[in-house]
Amino acid sequence: MSAPGPVIGRVIGGRPRERRRTRAWWLARAYLNLVPTAAALAWGVAHGGRPVVGRDLFVECGGMRRGYARGGTTVGSVWLHGDLGGPERRRHEARHADQWAVLGPLVMPALYGLEAALTGADPRRSRFERHAGLEDGGYAPRRGSRTAPDPTPDEVPGAPPRRR
């Protein structure tokens, strides 16, 4: 018997509606994401990444020197990044892998790119990032935290302003 996955869902009557990811979903996600996962894994290793496969079949390819956007990028079931790491970020990126499995390798990048164009690449306005969890992705402060959220591309010091 496997340990339960993270609880996701809406709060109804003060209690979260529990939906747990199961081993069956992890297998289905791995199968549905097989082609983009293989390509991303090859890309990550070619750029110095060290792949680590979790029990949920989600691959974290950290230690990359380059070859990923922002702080990290998920393609299929592979999270490509430099040195972000951490369970919260991993949970956020695994939700992006779920999005890849549901939408497919052609629709997911097209819709994500369209969303980025429509929102000015602001992750706090992106439906994909909100669904994956802004706090887990480092885009919003945790409740009760006094630290500021990670900056958007417009807020990075020294970055040239974008035209709108």
Side-chain angles (χ1 to χ4, degrees), residues 92-136:
H92 173 89
E93 299 302 331
R95 290 184 191 124
H96 284 311
D98 293 345
Q99 294 167 353
W100 273 87
V102 170
L103 295 173
L106 299 176
V107 175
M108 173 59 183
L111 286 180
Y112 193 92
L114 178 63
E115 180 85 3
L118 294 174
T119 63
D122 181 355
R124 293 179 191 101
R125 294 175 44 207
S126 167
R127 289 178 182 91
F128 291 99
E129 296 299 338
R130 288 195 319 251
H131 176 266
L134 291 174
E135 290 179 1
D136 285 345

Side-chain angles (χ1 to χ4, degrees), residues 23-48:
R23 194 171 292 172
W25 168 246
W26 296 337
L27 287 169
R29 178 179 69 192
Y31 175 75
L32 292 167
N33 287 341
L34 191 58
V35 172
T37 295
L41 192 53
W43 179 268
V45 170
H47 288 87

Side-chain angles (χ1 to χ4, degrees), residues 7-23:
V7 176
I8 58 175
R10 298 175 191 232
V11 174
I12 299 174
R15 299 178 136 183
R17 179 180 64 191
E18 294 187 16
R19 243 181 9 204
R20 300 190 186 272
R21 293 188 177 101
T22 64
R23 194 171 292 172

